[in-house]
Amino acid sequence: MRISEIERKEVINVCDGGRLGFVCDVEIDVKTGCIKKLIVPARGKFFGIFGHVQEYHICWCDIKCIGDDLILICANIDDILVEC
C-alpha cells in the first residue's frame, strides 16, 4: 500500500466511535523503512477557523484494521492528541 492510498482513508476510533479525520502525514522509522505513526490533524478549536493547533499521533500498534475506505484504531484520545 502506498502512502497516498493511506491519506484517502478516514480514521475511526472504535473505543468511542469518534471520527478523527483523514491521515495527513506518516512517521517512518528510517532504519527499517516501516511506518511508526499516522498523523491526523485535529479539528480547530473554533470550528476549524483558526487552523490546526493539535494533531493525533496514532502508533502503528493502535491500528486494528485498514479497510478500503477506513482505518480503525483503538486508542485513548488523551494519549494520542499532541500539541503542534
Side-chain angles (χ1 to χ4, degrees):
M1 180 178 298
R2 297 174 186 225
I3 293 174
S4 61
E5 294 174 23
I6 291 175
E7 290 176 337
R8 289 182 249 158
K9 298 179 189 298
E10 186 173 15
V11 179
I12 306 290
N13 189 355
V14 296
C15 293
D16 63 5
R19 301 175 106 174
L20 302 183
F22 292 85
V23 177
C24 71
D25 204 356
V26 295
E27 184 178 315
I28 297 175
D29 184 335
V30 293
K31 292 180 183 175
T32 64
C34 295
I35 295 175
K36 288 173 55 175
K37 294 180 182 178
L38 300 180
I39 300 172
V40 177
R43 291 187 177 95
K45 291 186 178 183
F46 298 102
F47 305 106
I49 295 172
F50 297 109
H52 304 290
V53 295
Q54 296 177 321
E55 297 175 328
Y56 298 108
H57 286 214
I58 304 159
C59 292
W60 190 255
C61 61
D62 291 333
I63 298 172
K64 298 303 171 197
C65 180
I66 298 178
D68 292 335
D69 299 323
L70 297 172
I71 298 174
L72 299 178
I73 68 161
C74 186
N76 183 345
I77 293 298
D78 296 330
D79 294 339
I80 62 173
L81 188 62
V82 298
E83 296 288 328
C84 298

